[in-house]
Amino acid sequence: MDATLLDAEAEAAVLRVYRQVFAVLAREAGAMIVDPELLDVDQAILDAFAEAGSDGMTVEQATQACRAFPHDLVVRRFEVLRQYGAITKLVDRPNELRHRAAFAPYVMLMFLRRMSVQGGQGELHQLLTLEAHSVSDPRATEDEGQASILRLTKVFRLLGNELAILVSTSTTAQLRENAQLAWGNERLIEQAEKVHRIVLERWPTLHRDCTQLRMALAAYADAVQLAAGRLVERAGTTRALGLLPIETWLSFTRGSDTEVLAGVLDGLLFDAAAPDFSPETMLEAVETGRRTGTARMAPPRPSAETEAPESAAATDREDLRAEAERVLAGRDSVSIVSVVDDAGDWVTARRVLAELTAAHLHDELDYELVWSDGMRIDPAAGTPWATEGEFRRVAR
């Protein structure tokens, strides 16, 4: 687009709002958010500013209002939002401590939340309604009608291209995750055709642009049919419980008896509940746990004159024996469920089970860990899911 000097001021305003809107996406200056928790931190900060009123807030007040999140994380996100202009000083002067928040970033957060839930279909319906009102206005010009047709053509071309690519290159599970692109497609096409009819009746000279819109709508409809056909073909044979729509599973659970419901999980293996770690936390733990060097140094060897200390293997053996005897408490056997319950929480129970497993596998220890097919489920217990089994002494 050819810009003129008269457009410079308007473009600068648009750029300023654009930066404010996308500030909520920045993890650091110039980067993107990779952890969804950061969006929650941004929203908490902006919520705090909304409650603060016209007096604004300092960084310390913001961290206190957002104390549900780590202090350092709130300070870092506050600084990122400030660098992008979403948060500015209350008065532009040195040593000013109080800040105010802009309106645009919170609107963008609301938009992102709705997009994540509705997949953008609600916004697309609203866009089509606005386009229909725009071209129906008696004051609308031919240029405005052409611009409306071109916008809708690009939208439906992008939708059709994305669905076609997903059908041809993606797995069924990936296609199911993006199935919201096909939701409400008949209504979308009807609304776009309504805009097409209005424009073609008012400005017949735009028939070429209207033809491009009809082609884009046809390509989108074909892509939707291919995607729906592939999902229907695979939905009846897959064991992936997330492939079918939520409404189907709700109807199934409400109208089925206990045996039918249990049959859905037949053949699936469940273990005791594990702590919930985010992928980012797991990745950080793996990266920090890697060895810094590959060379291995030989351990020091004792001289012949000195008495050799007890080996590490012997120490580990005695430690495992002591833990096994503590769990058995003089008995010949003990239930794994009672061991888990006595631990109180899963983190402690996991450590105890690891040591009992090590004692079971040790060649020099007379202990055995035997698992059974049953499972204890008690929502009131510290570890609700516990596989039944027995830890016992054996004679070798």
Side-chain angles (χ1 to χ4, degrees):
M1 181 181 67
D2 295 330
T4 63
L5 293 178
L6 296 178
D7 298 328
E9 183 177 358
E11 290 181 356
V14 171
L15 180 60
R16 182 172 60 253
V17 174
Y18 184 86
R19 286 173 176 170
Q20 291 180 354
V21 165
F22 282 91
V24 297
L25 294 177
R27 182 186 186 187
E28 303 288 355
M32 299 294 289
I33 280 181
V34 296
D35 186 354
E37 182 184 4
L38 298 182
L39 282 177
D40 298 331
V41 177
D42 288 353
Q43 182 166 356
I45 293 175
L46 296 175
D47 288 344
F49 272 100
E51 297 295 334
S54 58
D55 293 335
M57 298 181 69
T58 64
V59 178
E60 291 74 16
Q61 289 174 328
T63 56
Q64 178 64 22
C66 305
R67 55 185 176 274
F69 300 95
H71 177 273
D72 294 340
L73 182 60
V74 175
V75 172
R76 179 162 60 86
R77 292 303 305 165
F78 191 99
E79 181 62 21
V80 171
L81 293 175
R82 191 184 65 80
Q83 291 178 6
Y84 273 76
I87 295 175
T88 57
K89 291 182 178 181
L90 196 63
V91 180
D92 190 9
R93 63 187 179 190
N95 302 322
E96 175 62 42
L97 298 179
R98 307 190 73 83
H99 296 75
R100 61 182 177 88
F103 165 72
Y106 197 80
V107 173
M108 186 60 188
L109 271 175
M110 295 169 58
F111 177 78
L112 290 175
R113 300 292 187 189
R114 291 209 319 175
M115 286 284 289
S116 65
V117 174
Q118 302 178 4
Q121 295 290 48
E123 284 67 25
L124 187 52
H125 281 291
Q126 294 176 9
L127 170 64
L128 290 168
T129 302
L130 291 175
E131 295 290 357
H133 283 297
S134 176
V135 297
S136 300
D137 192 334
R139 295 169 296 179
T141 64
E142 182 176 344
D143 291 340
E144 292 174 343
Q146 184 180 30
S148 179
I149 290 294
L150 293 178
R151 281 194 296 269
L152 296 184
T153 301
K154 293 177 181 178
V155 166
F156 283 99
R157 279 177 177 172
L158 288 173
L159 272 174
N161 291 342
E162 184 174 1
L163 269 178
I165 293 172
L166 287 171
V167 171
S168 60
T169 62
S170 302
T171 63
T172 307
Q174 291 173 331
L175 185 60
R176 175 67 182 89
E177 292 176 359
N178 294 273
Q180 71 271 14
L181 297 174
W183 291 347
N185 58 87
E186 294 182 359
R187 179 58 179 160
L188 291 176
I189 294 176
E190 290 176 0
Q191 289 179 288
E193 290 176 342
K194 177 181 178 181
V195 177
H196 167 271
R197 289 194 301 270
I198 296 173
V199 171
L200 192 58
E201 291 174 359
R202 293 193 62 179
W203 302 289
T205 55
L206 298 179
H207 64 92
R208 291 183 179 273
D209 297 317
C210 291
T211 300
Q212 296 297 322
L213 176 58
R214 290 198 302 272
M215 294 174 61
L217 292 175
Y220 170 62
D222 292 341
V224 168
Q225 290 181 358
L226 289 174
R230 185 174 176 188
L231 285 175
V232 170
E233 178 185 356
R234 296 288 297 173
T237 59
T238 182
R239 291 299 302 271
L241 303 183
L243 184 58
L244 296 176
I246 297 177
E247 293 77 9
T248 302
W249 285 112
L250 290 177
S251 301
F252 173 75
T253 54
R254 290 167 181 165
S256 302
D257 54 22
T258 306
E259 289 74 14
V260 175
L261 289 174
V264 176
L265 303 178
D266 186 24
L268 298 181
L269 178 63
F270 291 89
D271 200 354
D276 183 16
F277 295 108
S278 66
E280 292 77 18
T281 304
M282 293 294 293
L283 180 60
E284 181 181 358
V286 172
E287 292 292 341
T288 55
R290 289 180 175 175
R291 296 181 182 272
T292 57
T294 57
R296 299 185 61 184
M297 302 297 294
R301 299 183 180 276
S303 62
E305 292 78 9
T306 59
E307 182 180 356
E310 187 178 13
S311 65
T315 303
D316 292 341
R317 182 189 64 234
E318 296 306 319
D319 290 342
L320 292 175
R321 190 193 304 277
E323 179 64 17
E325 292 299 330
R326 184 192 68 80
V327 172
L328 289 172
R331 296 166 290 184
D332 291 332
S333 64
V334 63
S335 170
I336 294 299
V337 173
S338 63
V339 171
V340 172
D341 290 340
D342 292 342
D345 59 83
W346 169 241
V347 175
T348 306
R350 181 180 58 181
R351 178 187 59 79
V352 175
L353 291 177
E355 294 179 347
L356 296 184
T357 303
H360 164 76
L361 298 174
H362 202 288
D363 295 336
E364 301 179 14
L365 295 178
D366 299 332
Y367 302 104
E368 184 179 32
L369 182 61
V370 180
W371 297 100
S372 62
D373 295 333
M375 175 176 289
R376 191 287 310 272
I377 303 175
D378 183 6
T383 303
W385 300 75
T387 305
E388 295 177 354
E390 187 179 59
F391 182 72
R392 61 196 180 193
R393 291 189 178 91
V394 294
R396 297 184 183 273

